[in-house]
Amino acid sequence: MPPDSPERPAPAGSQLGTVASVLRLLPYVRPALPRLVGGLVASLGAGLAALAIPRVLQRLVEGPLAQGVAAHDYTALLWPTLAVLGLGVTEAGLILLRRNLVMYPGTRVEAALRTELFRHLQQLPAAFHDRWSGGQLLSRSMGDLGLLRRWLVFGLLQLVVSTITIAVGVALLLATAGWLGLVYLAGAIPVTIIAFRFSRRYRVIARLSQDQSGDLANTVEESVHGIRVLKAFGRGEDALESFSGQAEELRRTEIRKAGNQATVTTSLQLIPELTLAVCLMLGVWLAAEGQVTVGALVAFFLTAAVINGPVVDLGMTLSMTLNARTAVDRFFEVIETPNPLTDPAEPAELGEGPGHVVLRGVGFRHDDAPAPVLDGVDLELPAGTTTALVGLTGSGKSTLALLVPRLADVTAGAVEIDGHDVRSLRRHDVRRAVAVAFEDPTLFSATVRDNVLLGVDDDLPSETRERLLHEAVEVAQAGFVHDLPQGVDTRIGEEGLSLSGGQRQRLALARAIAARPRVLVLDDPLSALDVTTEEAVTTRLREVLEGTTSLIIAHRPSTVALADRVAVLSEGRITAVGTHRELLASDDHYRYVIASLEADWKSGEHDHDTEATR
Amino acid sequence: MTPRTTAPPPRRDPRDVHADDASLLDRTTSRAVRRRSLRLLGELLRPRWRPLAWAGLLIVVGTLGQVAGPLLVQAGIDTALPALRDGDPGRLATIGGAYLAAAVLGGICAGAYVRAAARVAQSVLLELRRRVFRHTQRLSLEFHESYTSGRVISRQTSDLEALRELFDGGLTGVVSSLMHMVFTGAALFFVDWRSGLVLTAALVPAWLLTRWFQRRSQLHYREQRGASARLIVKFVETMTGMRAVQAFRREPTTQAEYARLGEEYRDANLRIFGVNGRYQPGLVLIGNVTVAAALAYGGWRVFEGQLELGALVAVLLYVKRFFQPIQQLGMFYNALQSAVAALEKVSGLLAEEPTVVEPQRPTPLRRARGELRLEDVTFGYGKGPVVLPELDLTIPAGQTVALVGSTGAGKSTLAKLVTRFYDASEGRVLLDGVDVRDLSTRDLRRAVVMVTQEAYLFSGTVRENIALGHPDATDEQIEAAARAVGVHDFVTGLPDGYGTEVNKRGGRVSSGQRQLLSFARAFLADPAVLVLDEATSSLDVPGERLVQAGLQTLLADRTAIIIAHRLSTVAIADRVLVMEGGRVVEDGTPQELVMQQGRFAALDAAWRDSVV
């Protein structure tokens, strides 16, 4: 989805503060919380140990060791050494502990969020997937969640540890150094203001940059999916050019982001150091006046040096946090998209049935379209019959096909299967009862077997599955699969790209047949087949269709021949129902849509009429 | 006959996916792969040495500004305080001023470094993105059919992300850390060289630990890149085929599979964290043990009277300080390992050679007439069986040829050879007497255009999608092309007419309309040779009627190869070739063939029965 698309809703959570936004993660993070807190404690401990070691060294050397030297007592060397060793091992141990505590929850949360996102996406209806580009979804699932993991493992701890260190340090300065502490604290005011303003600006850019990477991913995806078109027209260079334009835009955004970060880095380093410079002059003057001792002055600067590190790091930690926050926003934007197509709270049981389908006053309008595609479609598919649906391209036939298995919901009227409104049933049950072969056959990178048996329950005995597979392959005239290197166990490429259009179409047809549905919806199932194959499929298919309620979308008389009767779809409604012959005789629109091409433009209009009634 | 100018290149197999996914490599391969990856990194960084050096300078100066602080504080207390007590504020002013200057300099340099580093990083990323994109576009269909789009996407997104992290996080630390260590180490040798030797000895276990880390993390990062690619492949494929997934109730299975891949990725990440989580504390431990060792050794020497007690304090603080930035160095090394593993995959993609190669010295063909000749052409996909055995065929310029035959007869293969989607295994394909392998892609694609059954629409406006056939076309030309195939009325009925954005994968555009739009592309491209591979399959009869009419005008003066299952299209052909098992079994005008009572006559009769 392009970021500037007008229908794009305001990014979810963008009104929330960063803390509130990130807190939405809590349900996912909760199970990992004890370990995170443990990691935090270990991390603070390691920090303390690191701070303590130099002090302890100095004390030990100047104290016990010096006395030992005076007394020539070699054991005096042993204890300090062991103490330093102990502290050192403790520090390393705590770091080890922290890393091990944090790595599980970090990756666990990431994996859980990723699966959750995927689950939700699988629930969302076709309309959502039409609207959202694959690249945007992918960048959320990989890029954003990866960012989040790194923040959970590293940034969050760093943020907390830094904040605590700074707070404790400043408190210590205020308590012990009086005026100097106040001056140092004064430096915190501009730092806070700058950090705050930076956050606001940075958030916007971070969001832009993440959206732009999503768009870029989308361009890459399209350039690969559409590679045949690009190659056929030799447009690789043009595609590269427009890709470069997008990549360049992303680069500019990133540079802007870096520019912002540079400003904050400068301020966070400059301001504390400037305050320290003032403190140095003031401190030395105070010491000269005798208001502070030299020891207190040294202690002040030592503590200030400890705080300075985290303050400088704060810039990076802050931007990391803001990136994570944007990632959270982008994640929730998808997760919080309500699914309009859900199972009812109390689903009816479909039970056994003959497969009687009724469309009652069915209307369908896309969310963003002014006019409906279907407007008052009344059509009955009596159990066990085959109906052909005929209409001009773009008349809404394929949309109608989506409504029967409830891949989309009607916006008016109702679709009923054996007396049940499909919305009162579980989606799973409806889709078990109705199988569809789509006009562009989607095959998955899996074996032929898996592709054909996609709609067959996995828990059926393998002999049954095998039988279904072979029958379906045979009916769809997809015998070519036996000539593939490993027969039905050959993996076919992504989207079945290495198969011809006709071959893919026959596999998609086999898939729908193998599911043995109560209702079969075939969207122009023979369009890519040659005449001979088409004839063979038709003969076999007719046997299979016997007893199965079928709706066949047809563009040709040869496909219509499969059907007992024909329904004509025009301007969003069914304008005529009858047999092929009846309609040829009575319905002008039908004749226009289906009548023979050759007869028509070769021999003229009246000739075509004679042929029609032949 | 023109002399053969290009020897057919030895057939190469596109890299098979499993090899690409392998993480456990033998020693030689592993080294070669790593070297390839580092070479790519070098190639990218070398031309940018100036901005890199500038960034390095900034970080050095910035670090100096930071380091100066404590020294100035010490100087202030040690010298300026007594001076002030003696009534001389000048010294305090000097030191205070120096501190202010150092603060300003340090801060500005640190900020400037962030900018400079981002500039280098982003320009490297931009170049790499472009390179990968250009290269994938150049690679042959054969490659794309086995590599899968998900994998290409993963190379372009998550693998490049790893490189970006190296620039973002790792580099800042490494320069200042190294500087810090060098200065501290030198100071230590200066104060007490014997303790310096203790420090040097500590480098041995540190080096061993790093070697261990390098080997393990290299393996695990490779696994991680593989796992991430598989996860992306699954994601992309599921999203692309979402309708089928939902229609056949595959959500639970897909979900389980995705969760499994997600776990694999998580495991790979955990293994990395595991290795890194031992490496970093290991480094800290070595540092701390060295401090204890220095204390023991130095303390003993104090007892022996060989070392001053005061010097011991200094020595110990130096040793401790030396190891302070070691965690940062470890982090940098970790990021480097990750980036190198990612670049291994990227460089692997870049090292793929297209099987269809652009000629070194192309024969120019400004204006093609459109005569096609196939001489002894033999072809088989990959190592598969021969699909076309020794085909000889001449299509004079301007002729419209229909290819008829059952699926697998070799019709589409013939089309792919003429359009050079594939190269013949033996023999050659000539356009106006020039081997198509000697033509530049530019000339070839201008002369020969193919419309396939799969009419892919790119996100963008309808206008942009049609203009794909001829990017410089004016609005009038685009509209004329749309009119010619009868899709103009449909387009003007869209909310924004030609400016309407087509949705993902042509969402709201029916497949028939999509085919019409891709026909309009071909009209606009205006090639000398037009190849139509089942390009009308989804059209309704009125649509096909319009296209037929349009085609008659369009094909009047150009060569065309039409593959169609509907014999209606054949009616406009001057000549029909019936193919069977890769051979032409009948050849003649439609009328002649009908008279011959052969296969075509039978097909024609069957077709006549099937219409109406």
Side-chain angles (χ1 to χ4, degrees), chain B residues 266-346:
Chain B
R266 173 171 181 254
D267 285 344
N269 272 327
L270 273 183
R271 278 195 290 274
I272 290 167
F273 286 146
V275 173
N276 195 30
R278 276 172 279 168
Y279 175 58
Q280 304 264 0
L283 287 177
V284 172
L285 185 67
I286 290 173
N288 285 346
V289 169
T290 313
V291 174
L295 174 60
Y297 177 58
W300 183 73
R301 279 166 59 218
V302 171
F303 276 91
E304 295 293 302
Q306 295 171 2
L307 192 69
E308 289 296 311
L309 198 60
L312 178 60
V313 177
V315 162
L316 292 180
L317 288 179
Y318 276 131
V319 175
K320 177 65 194 158
R321 221 176 277 162
F322 179 83
F323 283 105
Q324 251 164 18
I326 201 148
Q327 280 213 67
Q328 271 195 321
L329 273 187
M331 262 158 62
F332 166 74
Y333 195 60
N334 183 41
L336 183 68
Q337 286 289 87
S338 162
V340 168
L343 278 181
E344 280 176 8
K345 300 287 181 194
V346 175

Side-chain angles (χ1 to χ4, degrees), chain A residues 74 235 244 393 439 445 494, chain B residues 130 149 237 304 468 511 540:
Chain A
Y74 272 75
R235 291 290 166 247
S244 299
T393 183
E439 51 188 344
S445 53
E494 176 189 42
Chain B
R130 279 173 45 91
S149 60
E237 192 180 74
E304 295 293 302
L468 196 87
S511 51
D540 55 17

Side-chain angles (χ1 to χ4, degrees), chain B residues 128-460:
Chain B
L128 199 53
R129 283 202 174 104
R130 279 173 45 91
R131 264 208 210 185
V132 176
F133 191 93
R134 181 199 298 267
H135 196 75
T136 37
Q137 285 297 321
R138 275 184 52 221
L139 284 168
S140 327
L141 272 188
E142 206 174 347
F143 169 83
H144 285 282
E145 281 168 4
S146 70
Y147 200 77
T148 74
S149 60
R151 213 167 239 102
V152 175
I153 295 168
S154 125
R155 299 288 98 98
Q156 275 268 35
T157 55
S158 83
D159 287 346
L160 291 192
E161 202 58 30
L163 184 64
R164 185 203 148 123
E165 271 161 39
L166 171 68
F167 287 119
D168 267 8
L171 278 177
T172 331
V174 77
V175 179
S176 51
S177 301
L178 277 177
M179 266 172 60
H180 186 103
M181 290 176 92
V182 167
F183 285 143
T184 319
L188 179 62
F189 269 93
F190 183 71
V191 173
D192 177 39
W193 63 270
R194 285 191 180 82
S195 299
L197 288 185
V198 175
L199 194 71
T200 316
L203 292 179
V204 176
W207 185 78
L208 289 174
L209 183 67
T210 303
R211 282 291 297 168
W212 169 84
F213 172 73
Q214 192 220 314
R215 260 196 301 271
R216 296 296 296 275
S217 70
Q218 178 174 307
L219 173 66
H220 294 323
Y221 270 118
R222 277 177 190 156
E223 286 168 354
Q224 184 215 29
R225 289 339 300 166
S228 138
R230 284 191 292 276
L231 194 62
I232 291 178
V233 167
K234 185 79 196 164
F235 187 91
V236 169
E237 192 180 74
T238 311
M239 291 305 138
T240 314
M242 186 53 81
R243 257 191 344 181
V245 170
Q246 292 183 341
F248 290 94
R249 317 178 309 283
R250 275 291 126 173
E251 296 97 331
T253 336
T254 329
Q255 176 79 29
E257 177 67 8
Y258 187 75
R260 187 182 67 73
L261 292 171
E263 277 308 295
E264 259 182 36
Y265 180 56
R266 173 171 181 254
D267 285 344
N269 272 327
L270 273 183
R271 278 195 290 274
I272 290 167
F273 286 146
V275 173
N276 195 30
R278 276 172 279 168
Y279 175 58
Q280 304 264 0
L283 287 177
V284 172
L285 185 67
I286 290 173
N288 285 346
V289 169
T290 313
V291 174
L295 174 60
Y297 177 58
W300 183 73
R301 279 166 59 218
V302 171
F303 276 91
E304 295 293 302
Q306 295 171 2
L307 192 69
E308 289 296 311
L309 198 60
L312 178 60
V313 177
V315 162
L316 292 180
L317 288 179
Y318 276 131
V319 175
K320 177 65 194 158
R321 221 176 277 162
F322 179 83
F323 283 105
Q324 251 164 18
I326 201 148
Q327 280 213 67
Q328 271 195 321
L329 273 187
M331 262 158 62
F332 166 74
Y333 195 60
N334 183 41
L336 183 68
Q337 286 289 87
S338 162
V340 168
L343 278 181
E344 280 176 8
K345 300 287 181 194
V346 175
S347 62
L349 177 60
L350 289 176
E352 280 298 332
E353 295 278 347
T355 42
V356 172
V357 203
E358 177 95 17
Q360 289 287 327
R361 248 174 265 115
T363 311
L365 184 68
R366 292 287 313 153
R367 184 96 207 131
R369 285 176 295 114
E371 185 215 39
L372 284 170
R373 203 157 69 221
L374 283 81
E375 287 177 0
D376 298 326
V377 166
T378 300
F379 180 78
Y381 291 95
K383 292 196 182 95
V386 171
V387 185
L388 288 183
E390 294 193 26
L391 184 69
D392 268 300
L393 181 68
T394 306
I395 301 175
Q399 194 174 61
T400 301
V401 175
L403 294 184
V404 176
S406 57
T407 311
K411 306 179 306 262
S412 294
T413 307
L414 182 63
K416 285 176 189 162
L417 291 178
V418 169
T419 49
R420 212 182 169 220
F421 274 29
Y422 287 83
D423 273 339
S425 321
E426 278 167 52
R428 45 191 202 144
V429 178
L430 306 169
L431 172 64
D432 290 348
V434 183
D435 193 320
V436 288
R437 285 174 298 209
D438 289 334
L439 291 172
S440 67
T441 310
R442 228 184 123 71
D443 282 347
L444 179 66
R445 298 296 173 216
R446 191 171 49 215
V448 184
V449 157
M450 168 147 89
V451 182
T452 61
Q453 180 194 30
E454 142 205 315
Y456 191 87
L457 295 187
F458 295 87
S459 55

Side-chain angles (χ1 to χ4, degrees), chain A residues 205-221:
Chain A
I205 308 178
R207 173 74 205 216
L208 185 64
S209 133
Q210 271 149 291
D211 283 344
Q212 283 176 347
S213 342
D215 289 338
L216 202 63
N218 195 49
T219 305
V220 172
E221 185 181 338

Side-chain angles (χ1 to χ4, degrees), chain A residues 428 432 450 453-468 514-515, chain B residues 248-250 252-253:
Chain A
H428 186 85
R432 185 201 295 279
D450 290 346
L453 294 180
L454 197 68
V456 175
D457 285 336
D458 293 328
D459 40 15
L460 284 178
S462 62
E463 303 87 71
T464 318
R465 286 169 60 83
E466 252 353 64
R467 189 172 49 76
L468 287 172
Chain B
F248 290 94
R249 317 178 309 283
R250 275 291 126 173
T253 336

Side-chain angles (χ1 to χ4, degrees), chain B residues 56-171:
Chain B
L57 182 69
L58 284 172
I59 193 77
V60 169
V61 175
T63 312
L64 283 178
Q66 245 179 317
V67 172
L71 294 176
L72 288 169
V73 167
Q74 202 177 352
I77 294 172
D78 288 353
T79 64
L81 183 57
L84 188 64
R85 279 191 178 133
D86 295 344
D88 170 24
R91 205 159 170 81
L92 180 60
T94 319
I95 290 177
Y99 201 132
L100 284 175
V104 172
L105 189 70
I108 287 176
C109 284
Y113 166 76
V114 171
R115 270 200 197 89
R119 218 166 276 139
V120 175
Q122 290 300 322
S123 101
V124 166
L125 276 176
L126 181 66
E127 180 180 335
L128 199 53
R129 283 202 174 104
R130 279 173 45 91
R131 264 208 210 185
V132 176
F133 191 93
R134 181 199 298 267
H135 196 75
T136 37
Q137 285 297 321
R138 275 184 52 221
L139 284 168
S140 327
L141 272 188
E142 206 174 347
F143 169 83
H144 285 282
E145 281 168 4
S146 70
Y147 200 77
T148 74
S149 60
R151 213 167 239 102
V152 175
I153 295 168
S154 125
R155 299 288 98 98
Q156 275 268 35
T157 55
S158 83
D159 287 346
L160 291 192
E161 202 58 30
L163 184 64
R164 185 203 148 123
E165 271 161 39
L166 171 68
F167 287 119
D168 267 8
L171 278 177

